[in-house]
Amino acid sequence: GEGEVANDGDLATISLMGNAYYDFNIGSIFTPFLGAGIGLANIEADTDLTDKENDTVFAYQLAAGGSLAVGEKLNIDLQYRYFATDDPEFDGVEAEYNTHNLMFGLRFTF
């Protein structure tokens, strides 16, 4: 596309997020939920266009999923999460950063 440049390299991200989730109790062993979070992400780029640089930017995420009770204190979770940040800048080059994640997990309650 216009204004795009081919580039190769490595990108690493560490984020610190505060999240809130809401479970929709529908009276069954399946519980759908929604979530959202805000925080900070440190994005490190080591590319052909720049030296190894990092930028800390505002980050947010949105989540939707479901939890299946498989025991009195054990649930299986399946979740989709969209994660994005403000545009990081590396040596004067502005970038975009977002991810789509599908997560599978176990939730223990006590």
Side-chain angles (χ1 to χ4, degrees):
E2 187 176 325
E4 293 181 8
V5 177
N7 190 19
D8 191 24
D10 295 314
L11 193 66
T13 302
I14 297 174
S15 62
L16 178 62
M17 306 293 292
N19 298 295
Y21 288 88
Y22 182 79
D23 289 335
F24 295 93
N25 187 351
I26 58 175
S28 77
I29 62 170
F30 179 76
T31 304
F33 60 83
L34 293 175
I38 59 171
L40 295 174
N42 180 269
I43 304 170
E44 182 179 88
D46 187 4
T47 71
D48 292 342
L49 296 177
T50 65
D51 293 328
K52 191 173 193 177
E53 289 193 32
N54 69 71
D55 193 8
T56 300
V57 291
F58 172 78
Y60 63 94
Q61 58 190 12
L62 302 171
S67 183
L68 182 65
V70 293
E72 188 174 314
K73 298 185 179 278
L74 176 65
N75 289 12
I76 296 174
D77 286 357
L78 183 61
Q79 179 180 154
Y80 163 79
R81 184 179 296 172
Y82 174 75
F83 175 86
T85 71
D86 280 348
D87 294 345
E89 189 173 305
F90 308 107
D91 197 25
V93 176
E94 189 173 287
E96 292 181 8
Y97 186 85
N98 62 63
T99 64
H100 299 270
N101 306 283
L102 187 58
M103 300 180 348
F104 175 80
L106 298 175
R107 185 187 320 182
F108 297 96
T109 58
F110 49 94

